[in-house]
Amino acid sequence: MADDRLIVALDVSTMDAMKSIVSSLGDSVSFYKVGMELFYAEGDQTVRYLQEHGKHVFLDLKLHDIPNTVAHGVSSLTRLGANLITIHGQGGPIMMKAAAEAARESAEKLGIERPKLLAITVLTSFDDESWTSIGGQLPIADQVIRLAKLAKESGIDGVVCSALEAKMIRDACGPDFLIVTPGIRPSFAATNDQKRIATPSSALQDGASRLVIGRPITQAEHPQEAVRLIIEEMESVSK
């Protein structure tokens, strides 16, 4: 039943809460996101637990610092064997190139598969008003495209972006560029604090590679049923 285009966000702060979600979803989900809240609270045991249960891991820590620091951070995280790792695109091309090189070198040294790196473009909690308030000069969509192109040129495998920008990025960056989209809300779910959102089918149709969905599944009365409904919608779009 699992569709590896679906990534379930483990936005919890304890191992027990994480284990409860993974156990309740069973074989219906094969890919999970571990973000700051969980990783900072429980560390790398979160990644090991998921791997021991045959799951893929999206490690969403959004590294953003000087190039040398980010490179060392990526090297350390590569050892964990996560499938996807995020850095901030706004760290610039030198930082992104350093991260890509660090992931490649560390994986080769360890004899493991290299993690795919994703650049964060503009967080989906931003709308036009809040974007302007922090000094955004370009419209959000233009900034996202600019960062996506820069990420590709810097050797990064893909981006995290709103589904609303997925089609433009797919057109600009080609068929092999990874596009991971949070802010996905199926028809039965509330929008919560996300501003730039889309449904699962529309996001995939517009070129998204993988979808990150949290609360509509993890806070559902019947989580496996929520997953089933989402996968049904996803499967209306061919892989």
Side-chain angles (χ1 to χ4, degrees), residues 158-170:
V159 292
V160 177
C161 68
S162 161
L164 303 185
E165 289 97 36
K167 188 175 190 307
M168 293 182 288
I169 292 175
R170 181 61 67 213

Side-chain angles (χ1 to χ4, degrees), residues 57-76:
V57 180
F58 171 27
L59 193 53
D60 185 22
L61 300 182
K62 300 180 175 68
L63 279 68
H64 189 180
D65 211 310
I66 63 171
N68 186 61
T69 299
V70 169
H72 285 300
V74 168
S75 292
S76 296

